[in-house]
Amino acid sequence: MIIKILGAGCDKCDKSYDNAVKAAADLGIEVEIEKVEDLITMMKYGIMTTPGIVVDEKVVMVGRIPKVEEFKSMIQK
């Protein structure tokens, strides 16, 4: 599984990344988590508001910070 956090490196994006890492660690599941700060790449996903959360190339959330529990539910699917 690959989770991408799309954003320009703002606090919301950093918190989203941290929450994704914590969720994977809590579940003991190996997940690849990437920060994507390239504007052109974000536009390819149609992300205009950050952070954007992409799981296995599917945009699952835009414009808010997912809580650790929300990431856990994304990872377990």
Side-chain angles (χ1 to χ4, degrees):
M1 172 179 287
I2 300 173
I3 297 176
K4 296 180 182 179
I5 312 297
L6 283 61
C10 64
D11 289 340
K12 294 187 299 182
C13 301
D14 291 341
K15 180 67 176 169
S16 295
Y17 180 85
D18 293 343
N19 286 352
V21 170
K22 179 159 178 30
D26 286 355
L27 293 171
I29 297 173
E30 192 169 318
V31 177
E32 184 176 337
I33 303 170
E34 302 176 9
K35 281 186 176 181
V36 177
E37 297 181 356
D38 178 62
L39 183 59
I40 294 171
T41 302
M42 287 189 282
M43 290 173 61
K44 288 179 183 176
Y45 286 102
I47 301 295
M48 301 306 283
T49 306
T50 62
I53 311 301
V54 177
V55 177
D56 290 335
E57 296 305 312
K58 179 181 176 192
V59 176
V60 296
M61 191 175 293
V62 176
R64 69 180 188 83
I65 302 168
K67 296 176 181 164
V68 173
E69 293 304 317
E70 290 175 301
F71 271 116
K72 285 180 181 179
S73 118
M74 291 177 206
I75 292 169
Q76 289 178 326
K77 288 185 178 183

